Amino acid sequence: MKLLVIGAGGREHALAWRLAQSPRIQTVYVAPGNGGTGGASQLQNVDLRDTADLIEFARREKIAFTVVGPEAPLATGIVDAFRTAGLRIFGPTREAAQLESSKDYAKAFMQRHGIPTAAYETFTDPAAAKAYILGRGAPIVVKADGLAAGKGVVVATTLDEATTAVDHMLGDGSLGAAGARVVVEDFLEGEEASFIVMCDGHHVLALATSQDHKRLRDGDQGPNTGGMGAYSPAPIVTPALHNRIMREVILPTTQGMARDGIPYTGFLYAGLMIGPGADASRSLRVLEYNCRLGDPEAQPIMMRIKNDLTAVFEHALSGTLDQASIDWDRRTALGVVLAARGYPEAPSRGTPITRLAPDTEARMTFHAGTERRDGTLVTSGGRVLCVTVLADSIRRAQQAAYDAVSETVFEGRQFRGDIGWRALPAAKP
Ligand code: AMP
Ligand code: GLY
């Protein structure tokens, strides 16, 4: 069978790599892919980005089904277009993808369906937004309504910072249409976790839990990034909390979408803020929805899948996800992102990658911002690689991951030295 994965990041490399383990696979094509997703017999890049071209390719190559990695094509309706063409594709429709592509849509949806989230208001007028901010006090969070590639959220510790963010988003048009409206919401305290499920419109299959590290530097300092590393499972999500998340967040979301006449298909990612306390009483709130797998969460999650992932997707595409299951490796998976010099503001490109840690059963280097130029592997984006390992404990996983990092060399590489710190026994109160 031939499959198509759309995207170019580490998430797509991990997804395509795992799908390609299936004995049923002839080729997994990745469009447009990166320096790690092409060149092998079972993994090949196709240099296509346009939806019409991708549809033609899927028809011509008799692609069994397509999986969409990033949010941008989902938000513009690639799933609708493939379905109209009679092609099987896993992802949400354009309407359903609004859970990610419009923060205002997501917040109103959560309010309407009783899904716990921070109190908020939406504004188009800067003066009204500022008056609301002054009334609520700091810290407070200002979010651009639309997709802004990670640049749309300001967690303001002072009123000044919050009102400046409003001026920036609503005033100077620098975020384009994404900044035409802002959501202002209460600051939430706690620990974040990523809870990702697969949906077929009726049923839900939960993936293993994970935790990302959004800030550039150790100790959660420095600017926000797309994610500097992740691990799975996230021990904060105990079985009891898992049940609460399904009951209080995930099922109300999929049932709410169905009730609104927009059945949700695809990956659904709830970014959660988990407050302090005992499992039965700690607060559980949705920070955001994403309509896709997380990146870099997907890399450790894919490392832990032991059974044939193509069969799981086939159930998801046939509306029989209730009959599917995933056999999870009991080990901890941990991935450390190596970013380019200058990331996140101005990553340098074209730097040769001089050394890679060899892949093994328990160690994979997933590529993101890499490409091959005249036979040489060079950097081509901000997050370059994600070195991902499996080990028996979080501590061993850290050791193995940082051993692999030391074997991975390109000039100016940046990485965090503390991925997984919250899961270490010493980090617990
Ligand atoms: P988002 O792009 O919505 O995931 O937001 C980026 C990051 O901002 C999140 O991962 C959180 O760390 C932080 N954040 C977003 N909303 C809030 C909130 N209401 N309270 C505290 N932190 C937040
Ligand atoms: N790692 C967070 C995200 O994919 O949005």
Side-chain angles (χ1 to χ4, degrees), residues 110 114-118 188-195 236-250 252 270-288:
M110 286 188 267
I115 297 160
T117 188
L188 298 174
E189 256 168 300
E191 185 172 335
E192 285 180 54
S194 306
F195 200 95
I236 186 171
V237 184
T238 59
L241 205 55
H242 196 283
N243 288 341
R244 278 192 58 200
I245 295 168
M246 289 298 290
R247 208 171 54 236
E248 295 173 29
V249 173
I250 300 296
L272 301 171
M273 188 65 94
I274 301 168
D279 280 353
S281 58
R282 64 200 308 178
S283 69
L284 203 58
R285 293 211 172 78
V286 178
L287 287 177
E288 58 158 353

Side-chain angles (χ1 to χ4, degrees), residues 11 71 100 194 196 211-214 225-230 269 288 290 292-298 383:
R11 165 184 50 212
E71 62 276 19
E100 175 168 1
S194 306
I196 308 173
Q211 211 171 37
D212 184 16
H213 301 64
K214 288 234 161 84
T225 71
M228 294 299 290
Y269 167 142
E288 58 158 353
N290 292 319
R292 51 177 172 80
L293 278 170
D295 188 336
E297 291 95 322
R383 291 185 292 169

Side-chain angles (χ1 to χ4, degrees), residues 58 77 92 94 98 114 145 177 182 185 222 288 307 323 337 373 427-428:
R94 189 193 57 77
Q98 288 179 97
D145 177 53
V182 296
E185 71 175 25
E288 58 158 353
N307 54 332
Q323 293 166 38
V337 168
R373 259 191 222 162
K428 297 290 148 202

Side-chain angles (χ1 to χ4, degrees), residues 110-304:
M110 286 188 267
Q111 200 165 53
R112 196 160 65 242
H113 294 285
I115 297 160
T117 188
Y120 83 105
E121 292 261 349
T122 300
F123 300 93
T124 51
D125 171 33
K130 289 182 199 172
Y132 179 77
I133 287 167
L134 292 179
R136 294 305 278 189
I140 193 154
V141 183
V142 182
K143 302 185 173 184
D145 177 53
L147 294 179
K151 297 193 177 70
V153 175
V154 174
V155 179
T157 48
T158 63
L159 291 174
D160 212 36
E161 236 182 292
T163 53
T164 305
V166 166
D167 280 333
H168 175 63
M169 288 179 197
L170 286 179
D172 64 12
S174 58
L175 287 175
R181 282 186 296 186
V182 296
V183 166
V184 180
E185 71 175 25
D186 287 359
F187 174 81
L188 298 174
E189 256 168 300
E191 185 172 335
E192 285 180 54
S194 306
F195 200 95
I196 308 173
V197 301
M198 291 175 77
C199 306
D200 68 6
H202 303 281
H203 314 101
V204 172
L205 179 67
L207 300 185
T209 57
S210 55
Q211 211 171 37
D212 184 16
H213 301 64
K214 288 234 161 84
R215 303 294 194 103
L216 182 68
R217 283 190 268 283
D218 287 16
D220 294 331
Q221 303 296 310
N224 255 319
T225 71
M228 294 299 290
Y231 60 93
S232 169
I236 186 171
V237 184
T238 59
L241 205 55
H242 196 283
N243 288 341
R244 278 192 58 200
I245 295 168
M246 289 298 290
R247 208 171 54 236
E248 295 173 29
V249 173
I250 300 296
L251 296 176
T253 301
T254 54
Q255 287 161 3
M257 290 298 280
R259 231 178 299 141
D260 287 355
I262 311 173
Y264 194 94
T265 52
F267 291 105
L268 175 68
Y269 167 142
L272 301 171
M273 188 65 94
I274 301 168
D279 280 353
S281 58
R282 64 200 308 178
S283 69
L284 203 58
R285 293 211 172 78
V286 178
L287 287 177
E288 58 158 353
Y289 290 114
N290 292 319
C291 60
R292 51 177 172 80
L293 278 170
D295 188 336
E297 291 95 322
Q299 290 85 319
I301 289 173
M302 288 298 139
M303 273 300 265
R304 293 187 58 216

